[in-house]
Amino acid sequence: MPKFLGRIEFPCTIELGRGLEGAITNVTRIGYVNGEEGHLNYRGYSIEDLSDNCSYEEVAYLLIFGKLPNRAELNTFQLRLRKSGELPEEIIRIIETLPRDAHPMNVLQTGVAAFGCLDRDSLEVTRHVSDPAAALEIETEIAIRIMARTRSIAAAIARARKGQAVLQPDPNLSFTGNYLYQMSGEKPSPVTEKLMDICLILQADHGMNASTFTAVVTHSTLSDMYSTIAAAIGSLRGPLHGGANEAALEELAAIGGPEKAKAWVAEKIAKGQKVIGFGHRVYKAYDPRALVLKKHAEALCREKGMESLYRTAVEVENLFLAEMKAKGKPIYPNVDYYSGIVYHALGFPTPLFPVIFAVSRTAGWAARVLEYLPENRIFRPRAVYDGPTDLKVVPIEKR
Ligand SMILES: CC(C)(COP(=O)(O)OP(=O)(O)OC[C@H]1O[C@@H](n2cnc3c(N)ncnc32)[C@H](O)[C@@H]1OP(=O)(O)O)[C@@H](O)C(=O)NCCC(=O)NCCS
């Protein structure tokens, strides 16, 4: 099937491709991906500015409430997050019962969905359908609860995989500090916490990507917020989306050193295979998140004695990009290429990479869903039917 499907003149010209390329879902004030020039902003602030000067909690607040919090607002927000991060026995049991080698994204999705069975308030959106302001208020509260709960489930998964006891959050730590503490049992150094904060900030929101679209579509049926976030986690899991950081690192590690990059890239190109961690539907320039992470990956790999991995990544990037530029279609690294290296150098097991992405993106999913709610209309696109219309059923014995 051709990629280009048609053109709509309304009120501007939109070119549509398969995979809803070019389709518009709604008007948003949450964030803007400038794919041509390689810029990303959240509510008007560049991600470089936010990752240099804010914590993940401030950025999550910005995405959800539309402004950067002052000190008092941040304190209240942190309190709301802290109140919800405890894991009840039922959830811990589920996480510990599932096979240790189950994919962490499946366990995360199960944990979030199960939490929905315990949170009686999560039915409220349906009850408040005739009162949009009340629906927005309760859904915002539940979204904040889910942010903290997703984080705690994610950390619990890391521990359960190693047969370690699940840890509850420490009320004196930040959102990110707790994520690291609940995973490792150790309070992180300020440097590690800041680096993790940067990773979470960079992945907190990114336009109407597949998982965000999944969240908005799910919630547009007035489904509950837990089902919404669980659906989005399922969508994020795939290697074309949030699973790419896991796949990209596995590919890089398998190359076996920078000196082997040339032959590896040549083989990929000769076989017409995709290099995971490259390309993007929207970015036609360098993904700005990858640029920030590349800088940190370099410093971190040097510090941890992992220069070979970093140099392999840079070598692959240079060779692959040069080849693609020569073919007239430059394809740049995306966020997943360098985030995988940073997570690896921070000591996270590879299967947990997409889970970190999900913890971060929960803020963006929630923000987009809450923005859409006051003007909610159920999503219902159509497919072009291209099959027969005149068949008659033949009795089963005669088929
Ligand atoms: C991100 C991605 C899914 C976007 O998909 P998309 O918008 O549907 O783009 P397409 O897959 O149609 O790719 C467009 C063209 O670029 C090429 N291309 C895209 N990504 C590529 C990659 N990583 N390696 C090699 N070629 C790639 C495709 O082969 C295609 O070439 P063609 O026009 O000659 O057929 C895609 O780039 C990809 O699969 N990347 C690898 C997975 C990944 O890193 N995902 C994380 C995204 S943040």
Side-chain angles (χ1 to χ4, degrees):
M1 201 196 278
K3 280 186 179 168
F4 178 72
L5 294 181
R7 180 171 291 151
I8 298 176
E9 309 271 345
F10 173 80
C12 52
T13 303
I14 298 168
E15 296 194 342
L16 295 176
R18 279 194 295 129
L20 292 181
E21 181 174 9
I24 305 291
T25 55
N26 61 328
V27 176
T28 183
R29 298 183 69 82
I30 290 176
Y32 176 50
V33 185
N34 180 338
E36 293 305 319
E37 292 170 29
H39 297 304
L40 170 62
N41 80 53
Y42 300 159
R43 300 226 182 240
Y45 298 95
S46 77
I47 47 146
E48 291 83 2
D49 193 7
L50 291 170
S51 57
D52 277 349
N53 297 304
C54 293
S55 67
Y56 174 72
E57 285 158 332
E58 287 172 85
V59 171
Y61 186 101
L62 171 72
L63 288 169
I64 291 173
F65 294 103
K67 67 185 268 288
L68 281 170
N70 60 30
R71 179 60 61 195
E73 288 163 339
L74 182 63
N75 288 345
T76 310
F77 185 57
Q78 287 171 325
L79 211 64
R80 290 171 86 180
L81 286 166
R82 277 182 199 137
K83 255 187 7 205
S84 307
E86 291 264 325
L87 292 176
E89 204 37 56
E90 294 94 323
I91 301 296
I92 296 176
R93 222 175 308 129
I94 289 170
I95 294 168
E96 290 180 340
T97 306
L98 290 170
R100 273 193 206 176
D101 61 352
H103 195 285
M105 287 293 270
N106 291 123
V107 185
L108 185 72
Q109 188 182 41
T110 307
V112 170
F115 236 126
C117 307
L118 305 178
D119 189 341
R120 294 283 143 193
D121 296 336
S122 75
L123 302 172
E124 291 290 292
V125 67
T126 322
R127 289 191 205 127
H128 282 119
V129 71
S130 58
D131 184 351
L136 189 59
E137 196 182 318
I138 185 73
E139 288 298 81
T140 304
E141 168 57 26
I142 292 172
I144 294 168
R145 288 180 200 167
I146 296 179
M147 275 182 59
R149 290 169 178 176
T150 304
R151 190 261 342 262
S152 291
I153 297 169
I157 293 168
R159 291 188 72 79
R161 281 168 58 82
K162 292 192 276 181
Q164 295 171 328
V166 167
L167 290 177
Q168 296 293 1
D170 178 331
N172 298 312
L173 293 177
S174 69
F175 181 94
T176 305
N178 256 318
Y179 188 21
L180 294 165
Y181 163 71
Q182 286 177 273
M183 270 195 281
S184 68
E186 285 168 26
K187 292 185 183 167
S189 71
V191 174
T192 304
E193 186 175 330
K194 178 61 197 164
L195 186 52
M196 191 65 179
D197 238 19
I198 291 171
C199 293
L200 296 185
I201 289 169
L202 292 176
Q203 299 191 98
D205 185 69
H206 204 237
M208 201 45 73
N209 56 81
S211 58
T212 302
F213 185 50
T214 303
V216 175
V217 170
T218 305
H219 204 264
S220 80
T221 69
L222 294 182
S223 182
D224 68 284
M225 193 63 90
Y226 288 90
S227 304
T228 297
I229 301 299
I233 291 169
S235 170
L236 187 69
R237 183 196 190 298
L240 296 187
H241 192 11
N245 51 15
E246 184 186 5
L249 187 87
E250 278 165 3
E251 271 199 350
L252 280 174
I255 293 173
E259 67 287 352
K260 301 196 178 141
K262 194 169 181 186
W264 187 85
V265 169
E267 193 183 335
K268 279 275 178 192
I269 289 175
K271 288 184 175 166
Q273 291 173 344
K274 281 186 173 174
V275 180
I276 304 294
F278 283 79
H280 201 272
R281 173 66 63 82
V282 184
Y283 288 122
K284 302 304 163 209
Y286 211 112
D287 180 335
R289 303 165 301 170
L291 270 184
V292 175
L293 287 171
K294 184 178 181 182
K295 187 179 70 184
H296 291 291
E298 181 177 19
L300 197 62
C301 285
R302 199 177 319 116
E303 185 193 319
K304 305 272 180 187
M306 294 179 178
E307 288 99 333
S308 171
L309 178 66
Y310 177 76
R311 284 195 290 116
T312 306
V314 173
E315 196 66 9
V316 167
E317 176 187 332
N318 292 339
L319 291 163
F320 181 65
L321 189 54
E323 285 286 341
M324 298 317 281
K325 275 185 175 163
K327 286 174 186 265
K329 58 170 188 184
I331 296 178
Y332 296 91
N334 58 53
V335 66
D336 293 305
Y337 193 60
Y338 284 107
S339 70
I341 297 174
V342 170
Y343 295 150
H344 178 68
L346 282 173
F348 297 117
T350 317
L352 289 182
F353 295 176
V355 169
I356 305 170
F357 195 160
V359 169
S360 151
R361 186 56 62 86
T362 303
W365 291 330
R368 299 267 170 177
V369 160
L370 293 169
E371 180 184 57
Y372 190 72
L373 183 59
E375 306 276 337
N376 187 64
R377 189 168 191 219
I378 191 168
F379 275 90
R380 182 45 171 104
R382 295 181 64 179
V384 176
Y385 180 69
D386 188 26
T389 53
D390 54 357
L391 301 183
K392 289 272 174 277
V393 173
V394 177
I396 193 161
E397 295 75 22
K398 296 193 177 162
R399 277 178 229 156

